[in-house]
Amino acid sequence: MTTQTLLEQFLKQAERLDVAVFPHGPTPALKEWLDKIRTATGFQEAWVDPAMENSPPFLEEALSESGFQSAFPLEPREIDSSPNVALGVARADFGLAYSGSLAFIKTNPLVTLVPAGLLVVLDAKKILPAYKELFLELTSPLPAILSLVTGPSQTSDIEKKLIKGVHGPKWVAILLHG
Amino acid sequence: MAERIGFFVPCLIDHFEPDVAIHAIEVLKFAGFVVVVPKNQTCCGQPWFNVGLPKLALPYIERFVDRFGGLELDAVVVPSGSCASFLAKHAPETAKRKPGLYKKIKELSAKIREFSDLAYGKLKDVPLAMPRPTRVFYHNSCHMSRELGVLEPPLALIDQTGGVKREEIPLPLPCCGFGGAFSTLLPFLSYRIGERKLEEIAKTGAEVVISADSGCLMHLSSIAKKRPSNVRFVHLASFLYEALPKP
Amino acid sequence: MRTRFSLLDTPSPNLQLEANLDNAIAHYFQKRALTLAEIPEYQDLVQRARKIRLDTLNGLPSHLKRFRGVLEGAGVRVIEAKSAEEARRAVFDIAKRHDVKRAVKSKSMLSEEVCLNEFLEESGIEVVETDLGELIVQLAKEKPSHILTPCIHKSQREIAELFSRVFQRDVPDEESAIAELARVFLREKFFSADMGITGVNFGVAETGTLAFVENEGNLRYCALLPRVHVALMGIERIAPDMESLGTLLTVLTLAGTGQRAGAYTTLLSPPEFGRKAPEQDRFFYLILVDNGRSGLLSDPKRRETLACIRCGACLNACVVYRHIGGHAYQAPYMGPIGAILMPGIHPKGTERLGFFSTLCGACREICPVGIDIPGQLLAVREQFFHHAARSPAKGVRYLAFLLASHIGRHPRVVSLARRLVRPMLAIPYIEHVLGWGKARDLPVPASRSFQERFWGDHTDAA
């Protein structure tokens, strides 16, 4: 499969999952999305994953423009007992075309779990077909944690109605580059 | 040369709805088969197999072999999906419990054909028609479709019949709740499942429920008789008999 | 030995339960159909998954040995529990060792199987279920009624009323309000718990990796936040390698919820299992539970039952389950899979579950690993009658079927019986005596059978 086909399939699944995809840069759509989360949660705190190298400068600007105060996450046990975090920002190592999943290898898993919104930076060239190809990319020993995020946190436990944002992020967006 | 087929009469038809067997034979004759009816047939043994007492099914398999073996038949036709699936799919495995029986039943098993499946091959170009416009619902037998894989022939036969409109349930509760031994061990639950199936069927406005399984039909009609309903329950063989071109 | 069939067989059906199940299951089938319509190769995937599961079970001892070897080589604490008692005890010992006051727990059918919650709570440890559905049944002091959707038997209104009562506030009849209340309640528990208890979806023999699938995110909290993480895994839940894991994960969510992937798939690998080693105050334990599985495994005819990956699809497809719900099974596993698994791992009082089926085959058709559930049900029914003489309830049933089989063998006796029965049906209220007729109009036998009509009355002439 060509990179283009994989990207198209990935975007189709992302759309099904209600995951917003923005181009890698300062856009009005990104600002609108950030503002929405800032307003809906009423929280200011944003966690930017420490493993995220070369955090793009425009992102820091966009965050502060929307009124977020970014901080690096602490070790889990040092986290306040009820952290009110509006946004998590992390770089995904891979995307999966089959399911629209985002794979994180080095990211602290709490960055993609605790906040109400999740913004993920993804390289379009890093989209793989499915699990099989992802597992082939992993080298031995396997990462202590391989975390796959596929859309917002959800449940259908009440009358099979879809509820988003149960324990994890309610909103997920991707900044796609390359 | 015309195909010679043996006719197996399911016990529910034999003792409760004998007309169905007569109709089935007439339809098969019309289709050009030479129909042989061996004497002294019994139940196929499925009830004991299904209840978990396969050894008690062995005498029935033996009788089946005794009645149908050596008749040089091209096929053995069974006008009930569930019995056909037992004889075709489960009787050989069950027969392994008795030395020598497996080999005999295996050969006959391969010749088992469900009634509608066999009839369809010969009737698909025949102009079938009902005397008056009828709205029907076809109740699919689980064993017939899932074990034998016979799903299309009865539908095609009904659909090709002039004057017939076939109604369907959007998301069907597939099973009618009969289940043989199930209906004797859990009679109310079995009844309730059937009752709800009938409610679904009633919503379609069908006046006639057709099935090719005598067990499902008896179960559903016995429930329907307890409630005000004008729905008729008809075996596919009787339906086709009525729809055959009149001479 | 409980052999009462009438337990759930009542003349008055539970209409509210039927409606709740209908509604939820219709949603499931819609979602599933939408997803599978775009995956034409689904049946091939099922066949692959089936082969993986059956091959794995056929060589389970060596896969388990390899799995344990990798884990122990990495210094992971693996505890083998032969029985439910040993499993409970192991968790309790760990809790004591680490001075655990509060445990948060993600959904685990295995923990229900070994009655973990009751045991820990009796020992003074607070256990909080964190899957929304599990929390609902825990607060209602009930048991899960579905493998995947524990509170499937409850309507939203019933849940809102429950929450209003438990949290002593007015909870509106809105799904988002209920979920938000649970989120806030549980978040505090996650951050204050000393121990997280989870199940395991699959353990990979080749790498020692443990795979977890969920949609809410609660499992991740349970596995990663508390000081201690205890994972309970049935010995049969092995995937030989990462490639087969991929196939199994794919069919698991497609069949279970009609999703291509769960919202969160977490793969933890040794030696750290997501916990930053070598910090000394963070611990991981794996408890490998047998609890009767070895018995099933050693029976080639029944081994297939262990291929189950707990997707819950067979419950949704089962016409019996859809009318009675999970509680009627009175067992941790319900529906078709419960009816074949329970009598295998815990025969006492559960063999009757083999009869909770019309053998319609919808379960086999929907199973993502193609388990011949009707075939296994027949084996359970045989098992039921195996020691029929020891139980009056079984013995009576056996004799009835034996008698019927003797009558049915002889065409003349059958005809005689038919002639005797015909006039009896005219006796008032006779249908109340005959079980089948209690709810039906008994079908009336024909005056002459087909064979008598076809050959004349003297059928024995030939």
Side-chain angles (χ1 to χ4, degrees), chain C residues 44-79:
Chain C
D44 299 336
L45 274 169
V46 167
Q47 286 314 312
R48 257 168 47 207
R50 174 175 172 77
K51 189 171 184 319
I52 290 168
R53 286 302 290 145
L54 295 184
D55 288 351
T56 305
L57 292 175
N58 289 335
L60 192 62
S62 67
H63 288 302
L64 269 174
K65 197 174 160 200
R66 187 177 183 199
F67 180 60
R68 289 198 54 159
V70 173
L71 292 176
E72 279 159 3
V76 179
R77 305 168 198 87
V78 182
I79 299 157

Side-chain angles (χ1 to χ4, degrees), chain B residues 14-15 19 37 39-41 48 50 60 97 143 146 175 183 187-192 196 219 222 226, chain C residues 9 18 22 323 359-360 365 381 401 405 408-409 418 436 439-441 446 449-451 453 455 462:
Chain B
D14 194 12
H15 296 287
D19 286 344
V37 185
K39 285 186 180 180
N40 284 331
Q41 301 184 30
W48 293 276
N50 278 358
Y60 294 89
R97 292 162 195 259
H143 284 171
R146 294 211 177 89
C175 177
S183 73
F188 287 114
L189 178 56
S190 164
Y191 171 86
R192 179 64 184 149
R196 291 184 71 204
H219 167 72
S222 74
K226 277 260 167 169
Chain C
D9 196 41
E18 280 179 3
D22 267 8
H323 282 79
L359 300 180
C360 78
E365 195 171 74
R381 293 177 180 195
F401 285 114
S405 91
R409 270 171 222 190
R418 194 190 68 247
W436 203 72
R440 297 168 175 80
D441 226 13
S449 72
F450 159 75
Q451 293 195 70
R453 279 166 64 178
W455 291 107

Side-chain angles (χ1 to χ4, degrees), chain C residues 238-249:
Chain C
I238 291 275
D241 48 41
M242 293 297 281
E243 189 180 340
S244 50
L245 174 69
T247 306
L248 295 175
L249 289 174

Side-chain angles (χ1 to χ4, degrees), chain A residues 12-13 16-17 43 47 75-77 79-85 97-99 101 108-110 112-115 131-132 135 138 141-163 165-169, chain C residues 23-24 27 38-39 130-133 136 148-151 155-156 159 175 178-179 183 186-187 190-191 207 209 215-218 220-221 224-225 242-243 245-246 249-250 254 259-269 272-274 276 279 281:
Chain A
K12 184 178 162 189
Q13 294 306 323
R16 295 264 165 92
L17 294 163
F43 306 147
W47 287 354
E75 285 311 313
R77 64 207 145 105
I79 293 176
D80 175 74
S81 68
S82 55
N84 292 324
V85 190
Y98 163 77
S99 51
S101 306
N108 183 325
L110 296 179
T112 61
L113 184 65
V114 177
Y131 290 124
K132 185 180 167 183
F135 296 159
L138 305 175
L142 295 183
I145 174 165
L146 169 65
S147 150
L148 286 147
V149 176
T150 310
S153 155
Q154 53 160 285
T155 184
S156 306
D157 277 345
I158 302 174
E159 295 189 358
K160 286 274 171 190
K161 290 184 198 168
L162 188 64
I163 308 168
V166 192
H167 298 297
Chain C
N23 174 42
H27 270 89
E38 292 180 353
I39 306 180
T130 63
D131 170 90
L132 179 58
I136 290 166
L148 225 59
T149 318
C151 63
S155 70
Q156 182 175 296
I159 297 166
E175 69 270 25
I178 297 168
R183 194 185 70 83
L186 288 173
R187 197 158 267 221
F190 287 135
F191 282 93
T207 58
T209 302
N215 269 321
E216 296 181 11
N218 62 311
R220 276 196 181 174
Y221 275 110
L224 301 172
L225 268 187
M242 293 297 281
E243 189 180 340
L245 174 69
L249 289 174
T250 308
L254 286 176
Q259 289 172 289
R260 286 174 178 242
Y264 300 105
T265 306
T266 311
L267 270 60
L268 303 181
S269 293
E272 294 172 29
F273 287 105
K276 283 204 173 143
E279 290 175 67
D281 58 346

